[in-house]
């Protein structure tokens, strides 16, 4: 018997009362015990009630600390002014298996998964580092969960105060006690085929629990770093993958659910892709554009200026105009002809306009960016870069420090050649003192175009 005296707390009846009478129809205390304590041990399968395989009950019983004989009673008001000891039932995380009155359809048969009334059970054990782990998968479609977990809270309905969404998805359990959700487990590369299960909407269809002797923090609601390392270990994750693979083979409802989710996810991706393309087409008329009057092929053709995220368009424009520049034009030295275009590593290698050789010594390195600032760490080595071509960028202060991601740094130099177009990075050296004797030109393509060609710009009204 446990007696607590002198407890002062707001809303006592909402959280600590054991009564289920009148306004206190759903006792928070009772349901907390059922869901979140050892009394609600996830290993108590009750196969005849929940639908888990009978043969697995035996293997779960043999794990350390298993006890389904404990009885727990709370002094409760069951009628007006009538109290008695009421037993708290154990093994609560799992719903009752469907009976003949339920209209059960498989995931492939329902028109919308959110309306799913499907159900399935699968469980197993595995040995990892001399510890036996129990793992259970209880599938109950979103609609069935809403209907059957009547005591759990959902939008606009407080009920017991324990949220339905907090009881769905992937959970870690220690010695039978459900500790915390851990849907990030699906980020592991071995579970790539099941990553869809981490989606917020998908969690509403299942509860997946792994139980072992996990170490937990003092307040028992999260795992220690040592426990988290177990969940990152490839050999441990291979057991989880094996379980999910077996569940697909043995449990048709799970196989159908995965297939349906992947199909809808692919359709959603295609829909989003199509919508983005449609939006791009519709918005193109609102974007800043220009014509080049002194190039015959372009003087009557609008060219759309790049926006954030369109680094490849910066590179494409620079490449196109570098093949149209003649050596007599102003700033011709700032135009080099790219010979490659790569999405990995440095974007291009190029040669000066007059150069037609394939000698390795005549090629220089180009990188394209929408914008670039000295406060940004350059993501390629300075020692392989000769030009950084941006659409537009702020002109920094003379002598400002600028660094790359490979341990080299240099300083901004505002040269006459690049006045109002860009700047140079000079005095490049490494943290350990190695000197790089070449400078890097950082150029605004927008400003270079305006200085090189006769451009006509138009900014449509918003």
């Amino acid at each position: 018997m446990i007696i607590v005296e002198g407890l002062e707390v707001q809303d006592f009846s909402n959280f600590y009362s054991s009564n289920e009478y009148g306004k206190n129809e759903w006792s928070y205390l009772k349901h907390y015990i059922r869901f979140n304590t050892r009394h609600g041990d996830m290993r108590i399968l009750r196969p005849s009630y929940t639908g888990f395989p009978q043969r697995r009950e035996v293997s779960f019983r043999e794990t350390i600390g298993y006890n389904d004989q404990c009885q727990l009673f709370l002094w409760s008001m069951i009628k007006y002014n009538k109290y008695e000891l009421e037993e708290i039932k154990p093994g609560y995380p799992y719903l009752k298996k469907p009976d003949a009155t339920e209209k059960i359809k498989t995931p492939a048969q329902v028109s919308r998964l959110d309306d799913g009334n499907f159900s399935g059970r699968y469980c197993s054990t595995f040995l990892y580092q001399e510890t036996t782990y129990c793992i259970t998968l209880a599938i109950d479609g979103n609609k069935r969960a809403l209907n059957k977990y009547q005591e759990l809270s959902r939008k606009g309905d407080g009920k017991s105060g324990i949220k339905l969404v907090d009881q769905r998805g992937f959970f870690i359990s220690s010695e039978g006690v459900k500790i915390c959700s851990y849907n990030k487990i699906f980020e592991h590369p071995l579970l790539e085929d099941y990553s869809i299960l981490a989606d917020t909407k998908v969690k509403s269809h299942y509860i997946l629990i792994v139980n072992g002797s996990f170490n937990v923090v003092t307040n028992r609601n999260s795992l220690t770093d040592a426990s988290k390392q177990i969940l990152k270990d490839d050999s441990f994750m291979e057991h989880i993958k094996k379980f999910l693979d077996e569940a697909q083979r043995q449990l048709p409802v799970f196989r159908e659910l995965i297939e349906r989710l992947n199909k809808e996810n692919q359709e959603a991706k295609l829909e989003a892709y199509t919508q983005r393309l449609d939006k791009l087409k519709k918005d193109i008329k609102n974007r800043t554009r220009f014509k080049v009057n002194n190039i015959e092929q372009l003087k009557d053709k609008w060219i759309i200026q790049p926006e954030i995220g369109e680094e490849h368009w910066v590179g494409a424009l620079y490449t196109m105009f570098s093949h149209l520049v003649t050596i007599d034009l102003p700033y011709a030295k700032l135009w080099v002809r790219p010979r490659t275009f790569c999405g990995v590593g440095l974007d291009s290698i190029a040669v000066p306009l007059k150069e037609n050789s394939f000698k390795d010594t005549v090629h220089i390195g180009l990188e394209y960016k929408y914008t670039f600032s000295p406060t940004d760490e350059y993501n390629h080595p300075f020692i392989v870069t000769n030009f950084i071509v941006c659409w537009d960028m702020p002109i920094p202060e003379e002598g400002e420090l600028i660094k790359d991601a490979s341990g080299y740094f240099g300083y901004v130099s505002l040269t006459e050649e690049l006045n109002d177009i860009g700047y140079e990075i000079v005095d490049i050296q490494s943290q350990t003192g190695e000197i790089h004797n070449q400078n890097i030109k950082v150029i605004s393509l927008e400003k270079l175009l305006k200085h090189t060609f006769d451009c006509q710009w138009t900014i449509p009204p918003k």
Side-chain angles (χ1 to χ4, degrees):
M1 177 181 290
I2 300 173
I3 299 176
V4 179
E5 289 187 308
L7 177 67
E8 295 183 9
V9 63
Q10 289 184 336
D11 300 325
F12 176 91
S13 60
N14 288 341
F15 293 99
Y16 292 95
S17 172
S18 59
N19 297 339
E20 290 190 7
Y21 175 77
K23 293 182 179 180
N24 297 319
E25 181 182 2
W26 308 111
S27 165
Y28 172 85
L29 182 58
K30 287 181 181 178
H31 291 96
Y32 180 86
I33 291 169
R34 290 170 179 171
F35 279 99
N36 299 307
T37 73
R38 184 67 170 273
H39 195 64
D41 193 327
M42 59 78 68
R43 296 172 295 179
I44 304 175
L45 295 180
R46 298 178 295 162
S48 59
Y49 180 84
T50 62
F52 280 106
Q54 191 81 41
R55 68 185 184 281
R56 292 297 184 188
E57 184 180 34
V58 177
S59 58
F60 275 43
R61 284 177 180 273
E62 293 175 353
T63 56
I64 297 173
Y66 179 94
N67 183 1
D68 63 354
Q69 301 303 309
C70 174
Q71 289 183 290
L72 182 63
F73 297 84
L74 287 176
W75 187 250
S76 307
M77 182 191 293
I78 58 171
K79 293 182 180 180
Y80 181 68
N81 274 344
K82 182 178 181 181
Y83 294 83
E84 64 180 43
L85 286 172
E86 185 179 6
E87 182 178 0
I88 307 298
K89 297 178 181 178
Y92 204 71
Y94 315 115
L95 290 176
K96 183 180 180 181
K97 64 183 179 182
D99 56 33
T101 64
E102 289 190 64
K103 296 180 180 179
I104 297 296
K105 291 184 178 181
T106 69
Q109 293 173 330
V110 294
S111 57
R112 292 175 65 250
L113 277 177
D114 280 352
D115 297 331
N117 207 37
F118 45 84
S119 182
R121 302 287 183 266
Y122 192 74
C123 62
S124 187
T125 59
F126 62 86
L127 191 65
Y128 172 78
Q129 293 185 352
E130 300 182 354
T131 298
T132 299
Y133 289 80
C134 300
I135 180 168
T136 60
L137 172 62
I139 296 174
D140 292 288
N142 180 65
K143 184 176 181 181
R144 185 167 200 267
L146 287 170
N147 291 338
K148 298 298 180 179
Y149 281 116
Q150 295 182 16
E151 60 288 310
L152 297 181
S153 305
R154 62 283 315 264
K155 291 180 180 179
D157 194 347
K159 295 198 173 181
S160 68
I162 299 173
K163 296 179 181 178
L164 174 60
V165 294
D166 292 340
Q167 305 300 321
R168 313 296 283 157
F170 187 97
F171 289 87
I172 299 299
S173 171
S174 184
E175 307 296 353
V177 181
K178 191 151 57 69
I179 301 299
C180 60
S181 63
Y182 204 78
N183 288 287
K184 66 188 300 182
I185 199 167
F186 295 112
E187 296 173 7
H188 194 282
L190 284 172
L191 299 189
E192 182 180 1
D193 293 342
Y194 301 97
S195 59
I196 191 68
L197 294 176
D199 186 271
T200 302
K201 290 186 177 180
V202 175
K203 291 190 299 181
S204 66
H205 300 300
Y206 75 93
I207 182 169
L208 178 59
I209 309 176
V210 174
N211 179 79
S213 297
F214 292 101
N215 292 325
V216 298
V217 297
T218 305
N219 61 1
R220 297 192 307 133
N221 63 0
S222 62
L223 303 173
T224 63
D225 289 341
S227 294
K228 291 177 182 177
Q229 281 302 120
I230 294 174
L231 299 170
K232 296 177 182 178
D233 185 78
D234 286 353
S235 57
F236 182 88
M237 294 305 300
E238 284 172 358
H239 288 292
I240 305 297
K241 183 181 186 305
K242 182 180 179 182
F243 171 83
L244 294 171
D245 289 345
E246 285 294 326
Q248 278 213 73
R249 285 191 287 269
Q250 302 291 335
L251 197 62
V253 69
F254 183 52
R255 181 171 62 253
E256 284 189 22
L257 177 62
I258 294 294
E259 290 172 353
R260 176 76 180 265
L261 290 170
N262 286 331
K263 179 182 178 182
E264 291 189 356
N265 187 51
Q266 184 62 29
E267 289 174 351
K269 287 181 178 178
L270 289 172
E271 181 66 21
Y273 192 94
T274 303
Q275 289 177 359
R276 284 196 298 269
L277 182 60
D278 288 344
K279 186 177 187 303
L280 184 63
K281 291 176 179 179
K282 291 177 182 177
D283 290 348
I284 205 80
K285 63 181 179 293
N286 300 318
R287 290 178 57 170
T288 302
R289 79 275 307 237
F290 64 96
K291 294 178 181 178
V292 183
N293 295 323
N294 59 339
I295 296 180
E296 185 66 28
Q297 303 96 311
L298 299 178
K299 65 180 182 180
D300 295 321
K301 295 179 174 65
W302 288 114
I303 300 172
I304 304 299
Q305 81 167 31
E307 290 187 345
I308 294 174
E310 296 181 345
E311 293 181 359
H312 287 88
W313 185 220
V314 176
L317 287 176
Y318 184 85
T319 301
M320 179 179 73
F321 281 103
S322 71
H323 285 79
L324 297 172
V325 170
T326 56
I327 58 174
D328 60 312
L329 286 173
Y331 299 96
K333 290 183 179 180
L334 300 181
W335 293 94
V336 292
R337 289 187 296 112
R339 281 180 162 171
T340 65
F341 206 124
C342 182
V344 179
L346 208 63
D347 288 330
S348 290
I349 57 171
V351 292
L353 295 183
K354 294 182 179 179
E355 186 62 63
N356 206 33
S357 168
F358 287 99
K359 295 178 181 179
D360 56 355
T361 54
V362 302
H363 289 90
I364 61 177
L366 270 71
E367 176 67 12
Y368 308 115
K369 292 187 176 296
Y370 176 77
T371 189
F372 181 66
S373 169
T375 59
D376 302 327
E377 185 178 75
Y378 182 58
N379 60 330
H380 298 289
F382 280 154
I383 60 174
V384 301
T385 307
N386 299 94
F387 278 67
I388 300 175
V389 180
C390 311
W391 179 249
D392 192 18
M393 77 272 184
I395 301 297
E397 297 290 330
E398 176 76 25
E400 194 167 339
L401 179 69
I402 188 165
K403 298 186 290 185
D404 71 7
S406 302
Y408 278 79
F409 62 92
Y411 301 92
V412 170
S413 175
L414 303 178
T415 65
E416 184 65 29
E417 179 190 22
L418 296 177
N419 183 39
D420 196 39
I421 292 176
Y423 55 92
E424 280 194 280
I425 304 174
V426 301
D427 298 333
I428 298 171
Q429 57 186 287
S430 72
Q431 293 287 133
T432 54
E434 288 86 359
I435 302 298
H436 180 57
N437 289 319
Q438 289 187 333
N439 299 335
I440 299 173
K441 288 179 168 55
V442 183
I443 295 170
S444 163
L445 179 56
E446 178 185 21
K447 293 174 181 175
L448 181 59
L449 284 168
K450 290 178 179 178
H451 282 73
T452 307
F453 300 101
D454 176 18
C455 298
Q456 174 190 339
W457 294 80
T458 299
I459 303 175
K462 294 294 183 181

